[in-house]
Amino acid sequence: MQAHKELNQLVKASTDEDTIWLLHLMNKDNEEERYNRDINETNDLLNQSTINILNTLKNADEIRKVIIDNYVNVNERGVFNFIDSIKRFKETLNIRGKDLSDYKSNKRLLYFTLYSMSSDIDLSWRTVCMIQNDYFRFLYILFISPLYSRSSRPLERIEECFSKVLSKKPLHFKNFDSDSFYLWAKSYMDQDKENSRVHNSSSYKPLDPKEYSIVINAIFDSLLDKDANIYKAIKTQLSNAWYQKKHREKNKGRKHHYYLTDKALRSLEILAKKHDVAKEKMIESLVNERYTKECMDNSGNDLYSP
């Protein structure tokens, strides 16, 4: 039972981060035994199979137990072969040893990194997105993708980009920095079908009000890094929509009377019918639209006062 003892010691001594790729190697070993053929570490069906197992586990200790239990009834030769595959794969992981604690504690950095990693050609992003735990997803890409596992430089470049974005914009909506704004902004962006492919808001699943702030800022971190013009356009759209919402709430229920020429009244009636709204709502929409264009800056601040 020397092989089993060695494997148990190796798995128990592994770092929490290492358990992710150890689980993948275990699953690869099982699948190769099952189909009696070699399988590449980046094979998509293999990844799907590993991810299905990973999604049933909550932490590194549970992963360790699954790996150890998997080899209880495997003969010595089979266990030694697995240990050998661990040692060979470990030698290719030049990223090992890098301090990853910031990715566990800083979700804004984590989200930015995951977005940057989504262009990796070695792994199917649709498959990787099946991983429910964001930090596990990051580790999985980091260790299984040759682009990130064999050199620390790609990850360092992402960190450099994040630092530049953060130095420019610690907060993307400084004037609206509140839980109510971020909760509304997430809902607004989730329903924004026109730009959904650009910001992919619906893929983020914040668990509490504070996380909504992280998510919205993370989305705009990636937009700013990707294209400053797109960033500005979507930020302006969101700022204007929020201003209009607050303006409507502030002025809700107030009555005003204005006299219109027959031509203006007829035009108003046609516009209201075309947009299927009441005439009062049509007037409000037209005023807000004109005000946003002519009386607000790009950050949503008023340029004039009454």
Side-chain angles (χ1 to χ4, degrees):
M1 300 294 289
Q2 178 60 33
H4 291 82
K5 182 179 179 181
E6 183 178 342
L7 177 62
N8 289 358
Q9 291 174 343
L10 189 156
V11 173
K12 288 178 180 178
S14 63
T15 66
D16 289 353
E17 289 72 25
D18 281 343
T19 60
I20 301 297
W21 61 266
L22 285 172
L23 181 73
H24 186 61
L25 286 190
M26 178 209 78
N27 190 47
K28 177 177 180 291
D29 191 31
N30 290 345
E31 293 296 289
E32 288 180 339
E33 177 69 21
R34 178 183 177 187
Y35 293 107
N36 194 29
R37 64 181 179 87
D38 292 337
I39 303 175
N40 188 279
E41 285 87 359
T42 59
N43 179 277
D44 192 51
L45 290 176
L46 174 64
N47 286 324
Q48 291 178 37
S49 177
T50 302
I51 290 168
N52 287 337
I53 300 171
L54 184 59
N55 282 338
T56 67
L57 306 171
K58 297 178 181 178
N59 53 54
D61 285 338
E62 290 188 5
I63 297 174
R64 290 186 183 94
K65 185 177 186 305
V66 166
I67 296 170
I68 291 172
D69 289 349
N70 185 77
Y71 288 93
V72 168
N73 296 317
V74 176
N75 61 41
E76 289 270 299
R77 181 178 178 182
V79 176
F80 273 128
N81 286 340
F82 179 57
I83 293 172
D84 185 57
S85 70
I86 290 175
K87 292 177 180 178
R88 284 186 281 108
F89 188 74
K90 189 176 181 180
E91 290 177 357
T92 70
L93 300 178
N94 294 322
I95 195 66
R96 284 188 77 252
K98 180 175 174 61
D99 183 6
L100 302 175
S101 57
D102 283 348
Y103 294 90
K104 197 169 186 178
S105 61
N106 187 344
K107 273 207 164 184
R108 190 167 166 180
L109 169 63
L110 179 62
Y111 287 145
F112 182 87
T113 304
L114 285 171
Y115 183 88
S116 300
M117 286 175 154
S118 65
S119 59
D120 181 15
I121 62 173
D122 291 311
L123 299 176
S124 163
W125 184 245
R126 179 176 294 181
T127 297
V128 171
C129 280
M130 292 165 55
I131 301 175
Q132 296 165 1
N133 182 302
D134 293 324
Y135 185 57
F136 282 178
R137 188 187 310 156
F138 162 69
L139 294 175
Y140 195 88
I141 301 169
L142 192 67
F143 291 124
I144 306 306
S145 168
L147 174 65
Y148 295 102
S149 65
R150 296 178 183 178
S151 171
S152 61
R153 189 62 193 128
L155 188 61
E156 288 168 356
R157 281 197 292 267
I158 293 175
E159 292 172 349
E160 290 166 5
C161 290
F162 179 73
S163 294
K164 289 178 182 178
V165 168
L166 204 61
S167 65
K168 289 180 183 178
K169 294 288 181 181
L171 284 174
H172 294 282
F173 296 93
K174 188 176 181 181
N175 294 333
F176 307 144
D177 186 34
S178 67
D179 288 349
S180 60
F181 168 73
Y182 292 118
L183 284 163
W184 169 86
K186 180 65 167 65
S187 176
Y188 180 91
M189 295 180 75
D190 286 351
Q191 298 173 50
D192 178 18
K193 304 303 180 184
E194 183 180 350
N195 296 307
S196 60
R197 289 189 177 183
V198 179
H199 54 61
N200 202 23
S201 168
S202 60
S203 67
Y204 296 85
K205 308 295 182 185
L207 300 175
D208 58 61
K210 292 299 179 185
E211 280 198 18
Y212 280 81
S213 168
I214 297 171
V215 165
I216 296 301
N217 278 292
I219 289 172
F220 281 88
D221 288 341
S222 296
L223 288 174
L224 181 57
D225 179 61
K226 183 179 181 180
D227 190 310
N229 291 324
I230 293 176
Y231 165 84
K232 182 178 179 182
I234 296 180
K235 182 182 176 184
T236 300
Q237 176 188 347
L238 195 64
S239 298
N240 291 345
W242 175 251
Y243 175 82
Q244 290 179 21
K245 176 182 182 297
K246 301 305 289 183
H247 184 74
R248 286 193 298 270
E249 291 174 353
K250 181 180 178 182
N251 295 284
K252 186 177 181 181
R254 294 187 183 183
K255 291 185 177 181
H256 305 277
H257 300 280
Y258 300 99
Y259 293 97
L260 300 175
T261 65
D262 290 343
K263 181 180 179 181
L265 180 60
R266 183 172 178 274
S267 299
L268 174 61
E269 290 172 342
I270 291 172
L271 282 168
K273 185 177 181 180
K274 180 177 184 291
H275 290 274
D276 193 25
V277 295
K279 286 181 284 187
E280 291 80 3
K281 289 290 184 184
M282 194 68 244
I283 292 173
E284 182 180 345
S285 176
L286 292 169
V287 171
N288 286 338
E289 181 181 345
R290 193 67 175 264
Y291 185 88
T292 298
K293 289 181 179 178
E294 299 183 12
C295 302
M296 294 174 64
D297 62 22
N298 291 334
S299 298
N301 300 313
D302 297 324
L303 297 175
Y304 311 101
S305 58

